[in-house]
Amino acid sequence: VENIRAVKDHHEIKLIRDSIRLTKQVVDKITGLVRPGVSEESLANRIEQEFIVRGAKPAFEPIISTGVNCSKPHARPSQLKIQNNSFVMLDVGCSLSGYNSDITRMVLLGKIREKFKTIYNIVCESQKLAIDKIRPGTAISEIDAAARGYIDKKGYGKNFGHSLGHGVGMEVHEKPTISQLNDGVLRPGMVFTVEPAIYIPCFGGVRIEDMVLVTAVGCEVLTR
């Protein structure tokens, strides 16, 4: 059953698009509320409220982190307050009509340090390289390798410790796993995340996550 669910039909893709559309609305609204003095926890609570009033529910506990907490891939929202000249990670998704979505965005406030700009640009480029390789018949391990290889070449390989992505559908994490260990190939109808990252202890981190659909001839980024 898990293997069957890895490939979505047209109706499932529509439901996933609906879930993504709602999540993007909430991300846009919450981004406007990110400001110095606001706590991670208060933003997470607001996200859950926004989903509920729109007829959905959170697909998972929102991952809202700022500053050094961004170095933790699955940081839990805390009472830590956002500071000026800092950055905030929003990892958000909803469940709507039985199908899920998952998006991560970085929000920047004030003057940002050059080190952060450097790793942000590396993560952006690594994601682009991976997405450019997505098409039917491509080895899944090659997608992971495209992003991971670039991050490693830039000297941050040890700071990217998880798989590049995961399938999304009736569950937030399902097949296919976009990993260097997966020897399967991409098939039209697969929907998964592409989320390269760099996490630096005692500094912070960057993760950018989009959901993509494997089409008959290539790839569609669903979350842009």
Side-chain angles (χ1 to χ4, degrees):
V1 172
E2 290 180 347
N3 290 328
I4 294 172
R5 280 174 45 185
V7 176
K8 275 63 178 178
D9 62 28
H10 293 299
H11 181 61
E12 289 179 297
I13 292 168
K14 178 189 177 300
L15 295 177
I16 290 171
R17 289 184 190 276
D18 291 342
S19 180
I20 289 171
R21 188 177 303 112
L22 194 153
T23 295
K24 289 175 66 178
Q25 291 173 0
V26 172
V27 169
D28 288 345
K29 181 159 188 176
I30 295 303
T31 298
L33 301 178
V34 175
R35 58 177 62 94
V38 176
S39 72
E40 298 171 342
E41 192 172 68
S42 65
L43 288 175
N45 291 339
R46 182 63 182 270
I47 288 168
E48 294 186 348
Q49 293 168 8
E50 293 292 336
F51 282 140
I52 291 169
V53 299
R54 287 171 167 80
K57 63 181 180 180
F60 51 90
E61 182 180 14
I63 298 173
I64 311 299
S65 55
T66 185
V68 296
N69 282 351
C70 293
S71 66
K72 307 169 187 175
H74 295 98
R76 295 180 65 88
S78 70
Q79 285 298 320
L80 182 65
K81 294 183 177 180
I82 298 166
Q83 303 296 316
N84 195 24
N85 303 322
S86 67
F87 40 88
V88 180
M89 182 183 294
L90 306 177
D91 188 343
V92 180
C94 81
S95 177
L96 179 69
S97 302
Y99 282 80
N100 294 281
S101 51
D102 192 1
I103 301 172
T104 303
R105 294 290 183 262
M106 302 299 302
V107 182
L108 316 181
L109 295 90
K111 186 176 180 180
I112 303 301
R113 283 179 280 179
E114 288 300 319
K115 183 174 182 178
F116 181 88
K117 295 178 184 178
T118 296
I119 63 173
Y120 184 91
N121 289 333
I122 292 171
V123 171
C124 280
E125 181 62 19
S126 71
Q127 188 194 50
K128 179 180 182 300
L129 291 171
I131 290 174
D132 286 347
K133 278 190 166 292
I134 297 174
R135 60 181 61 84
T138 300
I140 290 174
S141 59
E142 288 185 19
I143 309 303
D144 184 290
R148 194 174 305 279
Y150 183 77
I151 291 174
D152 186 54
K153 184 174 72 173
K154 293 296 183 177
Y156 290 96
K158 66 180 181 180
N159 301 105
F160 179 28
H162 56 68
S163 299
L164 181 65
H166 55 86
V168 182
M170 295 175 71
E171 295 182 54
V172 180
H173 290 80
E174 59 183 43
K175 289 189 174 181
T177 298
I178 309 304
S179 163
Q180 56 190 333
L181 302 178
N182 191 336
D183 58 3
V185 299
L186 297 178
R187 291 182 285 164
M190 285 181 166
V191 176
F192 53 86
T193 66
V194 180
E195 47 182 302
I198 294 175
Y199 308 105
I200 303 176
C202 303
F203 173 77
V206 173
R207 180 167 69 247
I208 302 172
E209 178 182 23
D210 284 287
M211 289 176 60
V212 302
L213 165 68
V214 182
T215 67
V217 295
C219 166
E220 178 188 350
V221 181
L222 298 174
T223 44
R224 291 181 183 166

